Amino acid sequence: MSKTSINHKQKILAITGGVGGAKLALGLSKVLTEDELLFAVNTGDDFEHLGLHISPDIDSLTYALAEENNQELGWGRQGETWQFIESLDALGGESWFRLGDKDMALHTHRTQLLNSGATLTEATSAITSAMQISHTVAPMTDAPVRTIVHSDQGDLAFQHYFVREQCQPAVTGFSFNGLTEAKLNPAIEAWLEGCTGIVICPSNPYVSVDPLLKLDGFAERLRNLPVVAISPIVGGIAIKGPAAKMMAELNVPASAQAVAEHYKHHYPGLMNGFVVDKTDAIEAATITNGLKIPTIVTNSIMVTLQDRVDLAHATLGFLRDLAP
Ligand code: FO1
């Protein structure tokens, strides 16, 4: 895939978390060089497990950018074997969080780097470099931030909700332990100097995007930049993950429009543009005229690599049109 030679310098920040966001991230990485694009990643899903520091959203993005991600599962690495986790299970260990044999190398290496004093940013850089990823994958912060899911089965750590309980509990809300004390990753702060646009990838607004936007006044720092979000909801369903179920439980319609309303309500003035799938073309007019957020319609269901690249081009073209 040839890199598009943009006639003027672009410096894009892409906000991503989870599997849906990682799909567009790969498309963006094919269009923009490492000097034009930086990824800011949610770390609220992180947790300590089996003595390991697990960073699922960093890993989903890393494997996606390395084109090593497991397309069937959506998470983890392709071509996996499961000897470790099955042996652990046989020993009576905790096997509900499926750790593949190759994936285990990444978790143990990261944990060893962190235990030897590296920051999460440094550990992530060591791993992405080793996997020949040229773009920067920046954790939103190096401080510990942990998403807590409030539900009808009590307060749950994110992975307990998402994997152990398989998203069954009905959610009533979310909180982010450690968020108020956490500082924005300096690498992200530095990138904002001269940044020409922000892409909010099609990630879960509540648990993948909100932690980032609420961190250290980050949303305020984006005020005078063109910001475009791609809806993670298409035709009333989330392409991947529990976003639609969460919305239903929060008495919010599972629609692209409701995602736009979420961002407008919580971050007034932040969103300059919204991208919906052609399935939801009818909502585009309502979002544009009702919410006063210019909205474009395109194909946002990414099956092939070309779909990912096409959505990246459509989003970047929209950002350029919105730039002052
Ligand atoms: N998701 C699952 O639904 N089941 C799993 O067993 C599982 C294991 C896993 C291991 C490593 C990793 O990086 C991610 C893993 N995920 C698993 C996905 C993960 O829970 C989610 O991708 C994010 O936390 C939500 O975006």
Side-chain angles (χ1 to χ4, degrees):
M1 205 73 56
S2 68
K3 303 258 187 235
T4 311
S5 60
I6 307 282
N7 51 17
H8 60 273
K9 195 78 188 112
Q10 282 197 99
K11 195 176 177 187
I12 302 295
L13 178 75
I15 291 172
T16 181
V19 175
K23 283 185 162 185
L24 176 58
L26 177 60
L28 288 165
S29 77
K30 297 294 184 190
V31 171
L32 296 175
T33 67
E34 61 270 28
D35 302 324
E36 297 170 320
L37 171 66
L38 178 133
F39 297 104
V41 197
N42 169 48
T43 58
D45 293 7
D46 290 17
F47 74 136
E48 306 301 319
H49 183 60
L50 306 175
L52 300 166
H53 178 106
I54 313 267
S55 296
D57 284 357
I58 291 175
D59 296 348
S60 292
L61 178 59
T62 299
Y63 288 143
L65 294 177
E67 299 186 62
E68 286 264 0
N69 60 311
N70 186 312
Q71 307 266 4
E72 298 73 44
L73 290 172
W75 47 267
R77 199 159 174 172
Q78 69 184 0
E80 266 297 6
T81 53
W82 307 90
Q83 305 287 312
F84 161 75
I85 200 70
E86 278 156 20
S87 305
L88 180 66
D89 189 53
L91 289 171
E94 278 193 271
S95 61
W96 55 270
F97 194 74
R98 311 295 295 161
L99 290 162
D101 297 332
K102 291 197 281 185
D103 197 26
M104 274 298 289
L106 191 156
H107 303 303
T108 48
H109 188 51
R110 172 189 286 122
T111 302
Q112 187 271 326
L113 289 169
L114 293 173
N115 290 344
S116 59
T119 62
L120 185 58
T121 297
E122 289 161 345
T124 302
S125 174
I127 289 164
T128 52
S129 307
M131 295 187 78
Q132 276 87 44
I133 293 167
S134 54
H135 290 86
T136 301
V137 172
M140 66 188 195
T141 178
D142 285 325
V145 174
R146 297 291 177 267
T147 299
I148 301 298
V149 179
H150 303 290
S151 80
D152 61 359
Q153 291 174 37
D155 294 355
L156 295 165
F158 185 78
Q159 297 302 337
H160 291 172
Y161 161 78
F162 190 89
V163 181
R164 202 187 60 195
E165 307 309 327
Q166 297 172 21
C167 304
Q168 289 313 308
V171 306
T172 53
F174 310 94
S175 50
F176 309 106
N177 287 353
L179 192 64
T180 45
E181 297 80 26
K183 289 282 169 251
L184 181 67
N185 187 328
I188 297 171
E189 194 157 17
W191 189 263
L192 289 177
E193 291 303 311
C195 184
T196 59
I198 311 289
V199 175
I200 299 182
C201 293
S203 302
N204 185 309
Y206 305 111
V207 293
S208 295
V209 180
D210 277 353
L212 255 146
L213 293 180
K214 293 173 185 299
L215 168 65
D216 196 11
F218 186 52
E220 281 63 54
R221 301 169 199 246
L222 307 182
R223 283 250 164 275
N224 56 5
L225 285 170
V227 178
V228 166
I230 294 86
S231 175
I233 299 286
V234 173
I237 62 163
I239 299 299
K240 186 79 189 161
K245 180 175 181 285
M246 288 176 171
M247 294 172 92
E249 289 155 1
L250 296 170
N251 299 317
V252 169
S255 68
Q257 181 181 332
V259 173
E261 282 165 350
H262 173 83
Y263 287 133
K264 184 176 176 73
H265 173 70
H266 290 274
Y267 315 100
L270 173 72
M271 206 59 67
N272 304 99
F274 201 62
V275 181
V276 302
D277 186 77
K278 52 191 180 315
T279 317
D280 300 310
I282 193 87
E283 295 184 40
T286 316
I287 300 167
T288 302
N289 304 320
L291 293 179
K292 302 285 181 271
I293 301 175
T295 298
I296 63 165
V297 178
T298 187
N299 171 43
S300 70
I301 297 179
M302 296 170 275
V303 177
T304 65
L305 177 57
Q306 193 56 51
D307 293 337
R308 289 160 169 78
V309 170
D310 293 348
L311 181 57
H313 277 301
T315 305
L316 294 170
F318 189 24
L319 265 177
R320 279 199 298 277
D321 295 345
L322 290 166

